[in-house]
Amino acid sequence: MLVAPSILSADFGHLARDVEAICEGGCDLVHVDVMDGHFVPNLTIGPVVVSAVAKAATKPLDIHLMVENNSFFVDLFAPLKPEYISFHIEEEKHPHRLIQKIRSLGIKPSIVLNPQTRPEELEYLIEDLDMVLLMSVNPGFGGQKFIPSVIEKAQKLKALIEKRNPNCLIEVDGGVNDVNVKELEAAGVDVVVAGSFVYKHPEGIEKAIAALK
Ligand code: DX5
Ligand code: ZN
């Protein structure tokens, strides 16, 4: 299992330190939650702060856009050379076009599905994606409760991926811990995002990442 800790649960007064801690603690990707106060009822960080994150990180960035006007935000973050940019299909009129744009910038494209969105939406997009991100909470905040229907959705998506694009990864985000990670792995999930589980683990960040793996 690949682990992408979400820096939303970091101490923003010591952001570089907390980014270094997950990289030294064995994470695979650094998950960055970008919220605009419109698509979701919360507001986080833009390219100025994320460029400081990129400097501190020794692992690739995994940028999760929770915004209106995706294309504008892709332009803002592309110079930071993230490994992945994920955008919500619920907020994009031209997902196919945006996938091509992200790829043309040398970044791996990924689409996010909210808890209610059907995996069938991806039937004619999956061949062009490097990853699909399934939300297991409603986007906007860390520390929420895991929505178990994501397990069945991951199984359905896995079947589609096996048929059409076996190289595409499945990532799950929200309320992930060392118990539900086992079910996620059995369902075919490749990457888990974890914020509070990693940053607030009583035995520390390294132990938390190891537990998820
Ligand atoms: C929610 C974010 C998540 C969140 C995960 O909108 O996309 O990445 O930070 O935090 P936990 O693991 O605490 O649910
Ligand atoms: Zn996220």
Side-chain angles (χ1 to χ4, degrees), residues 31 33 64 173:
H31 187 81
D33 289 305
H64 175 190
D173 183 4

Side-chain angles (χ1 to χ4, degrees), residues 118-137:
R118 296 160 61 85
E120 288 83 354
E121 294 273 325
L122 300 175
E123 192 170 358
Y124 300 109
L125 295 169
I126 199 79
E127 282 162 17
D128 296 302
L129 290 170
D130 281 67
M131 187 163 80
V132 176
L133 171 49
L134 301 179
M135 291 309 297
S136 41
V137 297

Side-chain angles (χ1 to χ4, degrees), residues 4-9 31-35 40 42 64 66 88 112 133 135-146 172-177 193-198 200:
S6 164
I7 60 165
L8 192 58
S9 294
H31 187 81
V32 179
D33 289 305
V34 176
M35 307 183 188
V40 289
N42 197 3
H64 175 190
M66 285 160 273
H88 276 260
V112 197
L133 171 49
M135 291 309 297
S136 41
V137 297
N138 287 295
F141 303 94
Q144 302 181 84
K145 201 167 161 278
F146 182 81
V172 169
D173 183 4
V176 173
N177 58 37
V193 177
S196 39
F197 182 79
V198 167
K200 298 190 188 348

Side-chain angles (χ1 to χ4, degrees), residues 5-194:
S6 164
I7 60 165
L8 192 58
S9 294
D11 175 351
F12 275 68
H14 299 276
L15 192 51
R17 178 199 71 189
D18 282 6
V19 169
E20 284 160 13
I22 54 173
C23 293
E24 285 162 15
C27 79
D28 299 285
L29 294 165
V30 175
H31 187 81
V32 179
D33 289 305
V34 176
M35 307 183 188
D36 68 349
H38 295 278
F39 178 61
V40 289
N42 197 3
L43 189 60
T44 57
I45 49 179
V48 175
V49 175
V50 180
S51 69
V53 172
K55 253 189 222 144
T58 52
K59 301 290 170 64
L61 299 189
D62 174 31
I63 294 187
H64 175 190
L65 297 179
M66 285 160 273
V67 299
E68 292 180 352
N69 202 352
N70 284 302
S71 185
F72 169 76
F73 280 86
V74 167
D75 288 333
L76 281 187
F77 287 100
L80 303 179
K81 302 267 170 241
E83 178 99 351
Y84 295 95
I85 291 185
S86 301
F87 66 88
H88 276 260
I89 197 161
E90 299 85 7
E91 192 52 49
E92 184 50 52
K93 285 201 188 92
H94 300 287
H96 190 272
R97 178 183 292 155
L98 189 58
I99 290 168
Q100 309 311 320
K101 171 171 170 167
I102 293 170
R103 193 175 294 292
S104 75
L105 292 164
I107 300 161
K108 293 176 180 167
S110 160
I111 283 185
V112 197
L113 305 186
N114 269 337
Q116 84 284 358
T117 305
R118 296 160 61 85
E120 288 83 354
E121 294 273 325
L122 300 175
E123 192 170 358
Y124 300 109
L125 295 169
I126 199 79
E127 282 162 17
D128 296 302
L129 290 170
D130 281 67
M131 187 163 80
V132 176
L133 171 49
L134 301 179
M135 291 309 297
S136 41
V137 297
N138 287 295
F141 303 94
Q144 302 181 84
K145 201 167 161 278
F146 182 81
I147 299 172
S149 61
V150 75
I151 303 280
E152 186 191 304
K153 198 195 284 191
Q155 290 164 343
K156 282 191 183 167
L157 176 62
K158 186 73 182 175
L160 181 67
I161 282 176
E162 273 168 0
K163 202 162 71 179
R164 302 250 175 141
N165 180 7
N167 295 324
C168 182
L169 301 182
I170 303 179
E171 182 177 50
V172 169
D173 183 4
V176 173
N177 58 37
D178 54 349
V179 177
N180 55 35
V181 73
K182 292 175 191 147
E183 283 181 86
L184 292 170
E185 201 218 357
V189 172
D190 306 282
V191 190
V192 285
V193 177

